[in-house]
Amino acid sequence: MSRQLKFNIFRFNPEDPNSEPHTDTFMLEETPSLTLFIALNKIREEQDPSLMFDFACRMAICGSCGMVINGRPGLACKTLTVELPQEITLMPLPVFKLVGDLSVDTGTWFRATNTKIESWIHTDQEFDPEAIEERMENDLANSIFELERCIECGCCLASCGTANMRDDFVGAFALNRISRFIMDPRDKRTDPEYFDVVGTDQGIFGCMGLLACEDVCPREIPLQDQLGILRRKMAFQGLKNIFKPKEKGRHRRF
Amino acid sequence: MSSSVDTAIFVKPPTRVSAYLDWLQMLTGAGLIMFMWSHMVLVASVNIGPNVMNTIAYFFEATYMAQVGGPIIGATMLLHFILAARKIPYTSDAQGVIWRHARMLHHTDTWLWLIQAFTAMVILIMGSVHIWTVLTNLPITAAKSAMRVQGGFWGVFYLILLPMVELHVGIGFYRIGVKWGFIKRSGRKKFHRFENIWTGAFILIGLITIIRLWTLPIAGN
Ligand code: HEM
Ligand code: SF4
Ligand code: SF4
Ligand code: FES
């Protein structure tokens, strides 16, 4: 006998003045290898065509299907129902702006945050499309790639107590992103310049070490290790030239 | 959650203040941990014999370490409170957010933080009262401590304060480890377990000490 799954799904359409936040319940028979992605599509096809949720890649690569699954932020496409109890409660990710039901706008937040931390390689080298690609040590390339695997799903933000309390906190995502540029020899930013970006209470010193980000990241990015390394690096950077007044970070524009 | 509209039209000059405050928060926390561990050794010495405790207490007073060190510990606690309190939500709005968030997430470390923030408030009040009482009643002797505990009020007072302090210290120790990267992903589980055992052991020693003071014959000590 397969299980009858009970889905409690948060419903609210901010565009509709008559819509009130509430929970709808749907029953669905469990089939082999059922993911939440398939389940939600079935519910929309067979029971309620107005249900809103996001998907694109359905293979944990695009980062659009983040939602709160029985209290934990995670990717719906990667979550098998067999791992869950018979009753499954789905909520939209907090922190981000609600589009409707389970769909949130992560894009605007990530765009703004990436702009704020200048999430690109800062270099004064002219790009020569003819030249052979520069070489990099394999180990270094691998460790940069390890952090580069982030899919901007927003689960780390949604699970972070600090980010939930304070909307100016850049979150584990951005701190991991900066770590990636610090590692990269092609980025010519100096430590004082990185300090100006994340050596603040909105950056690494705002993090309280709750490690929810570490525990929910669907890509298992080593966030705990990166946050620790970054805190030490920035804390020591803060102590350098302790008796000299701080200059405005000579923020070079390339 | 309210979303703030960014209306700043000036650029804030970068400062190092956040870094300094984070250093101080960690260092005052670490300093207080060291103190609490030493404190436990001193008080628990009564289990070996009241005279051992008296001798140690006499040493600290004869060298004026208690008279000078006591107020310094009090001041460190106050400084640590001011620094760490920056992280505790002040408005009922934000308190509601973190409370609902913790209940939703079922996540141990997030709960640990809430326990830390709660025990902090209890320690702030009860710890101050305790420090005041002891320092205004020098010298410290096993007989005086026993008398206080046997009065009943202070016995219950310490039974509440003990687990509060040990929880706060234990969680704080764990948090410094993970926040500053001393404990890596691979070592986190082990460190967590070690911390639980360590905290449990300290609460146990503390309980034994309170019971010992409660049953200590006062005359002659
Ligand atoms: C006076 C009352 C106290 C208050 C209000 C207080 C408050 C706090 C708070 C809210 C935190 C979390 C900060 C964060 O996550 O960044 C914290 C951390 C900590 N507390 Fe306290 N505390 C008090 C007393 C103490 C005492 C007496 C000790 C030690 C015996 C102690 C040791 C620590 C440690 C080690 C940490 C971790 C520091 C860190 O994460 O950087 N605290 N405290
Ligand atoms: S760090 Fe992990 S949880 Fe955060 S956005 Fe990237 S992939 Fe998602
Ligand atoms: S460690 Fe905690 S406070 Fe820091 S970013 Fe992760 S979830 Fe947020
Ligand atoms: S649909 Fe792309 S990550 Fe889930």
Side-chain angles (χ1 to χ4, degrees), chain A residues 175-211:
Chain A
L175 299 170
N176 172 68
R177 190 91 188 128
I178 280 294
S179 294
R180 175 239 172 282
F181 289 110
I182 291 177
M183 274 186 196
D184 195 324
R186 291 168 299 178
D187 196 315
K188 297 289 184 281
R189 275 182 282 187
T190 59
D191 283 353
E193 285 167 318
Y194 287 122
F195 184 87
D196 288 351
V197 179
V198 289
T200 61
D201 276 339
Q202 289 73 48
I204 186 66
F205 299 123
C207 163
M208 304 195 295
L210 309 182
L211 297 186

Side-chain angles (χ1 to χ4, degrees), chain A residues 167 205 214-215 221 231-232, chain B residues 2 22 87 107 180 185:
Chain A
D167 54 8
F205 299 123
E214 160 92 1
D215 293 335
I221 299 198
R231 183 184 298 269
R232 285 218 301 270
Chain B
S2 67
D22 207 48
K87 313 282 177 175
H107 179 252
W180 288 78
R185 170 182 275 184

Side-chain angles (χ1 to χ4, degrees), chain A residues 68 70-73 158-161 163-165 167 195-196 199-201 205-212 214-215 220-222 224-225 228 231-232 235-236 238-242 244 246 248-249, chain B residues 1-4 11-23 86-89 94-95 97-98 101 104-110 113 174-175 177-186 188:
Chain A
V68 179
N70 284 351
R72 284 285 180 122
S159 69
C160 171
N164 274 271
M165 280 190 285
D167 54 8
F195 184 87
D196 288 351
T200 61
D201 276 339
F205 299 123
C207 163
M208 304 195 295
L210 309 182
L211 297 186
E214 160 92 1
D215 293 335
E220 294 176 19
I221 299 198
Q224 176 191 343
D225 295 354
R231 183 184 298 269
R232 285 218 301 270
F236 280 107
L239 290 188
K240 277 192 191 151
N241 302 320
I242 187 165
K244 277 199 210 143
K246 180 109 180 71
K248 160 85 189 106
Chain B
M1 195 180 73
S2 67
S3 83
S4 65
V11 179
K12 253 199 321 202
T15 71
R16 305 194 193 102
V17 173
S18 304
Y20 295 158
L21 297 184
D22 207 48
W23 270 115
R86 296 175 304 146
K87 313 282 177 175
I88 301 181
Q95 286 162 358
V97 166
I98 187 77
H101 175 72
M104 173 195 92
L105 204 59
H106 318 294
H107 179 252
T108 317
D109 283 26
T110 302
W113 186 82
Y174 167 75
R175 202 177 301 293
V178 293
K179 262 168 96 174
W180 288 78
F182 302 121
I183 306 301
K184 291 270 183 291
R185 170 182 275 184
S186 54
R188 176 165 163 219

Side-chain angles (χ1 to χ4, degrees), chain A residues 54-65 75-77 151:
Chain A
D54 296 321
F55 285 94
C57 73
R58 48 143 189 77
M59 51 199 287
I61 284 187
C62 72
S64 11
C65 67
L75 296 181
C77 69
I151 54 175

Side-chain angles (χ1 to χ4, degrees), chain A residues 100-141:
Chain A
D101 300 343
L102 299 176
S103 166
V104 292
D105 174 8
T106 48
T108 307
W109 189 93
F110 278 99
R111 172 89 208 181
T113 304
N114 275 318
T115 311
K116 186 149 87 187
I117 63 167
E118 308 194 3
S119 184
W120 54 84
I121 298 231
H122 292 50
T123 179
D124 44 12
Q125 246 173 23
E126 283 290 331
F127 177 63
D128 176 4
E130 305 291 319
I132 301 177
E133 208 180 326
E134 252 181 90
R135 279 175 176 274
M136 186 186 277
E137 284 299 323
N138 205 29
D139 283 350
L140 179 60

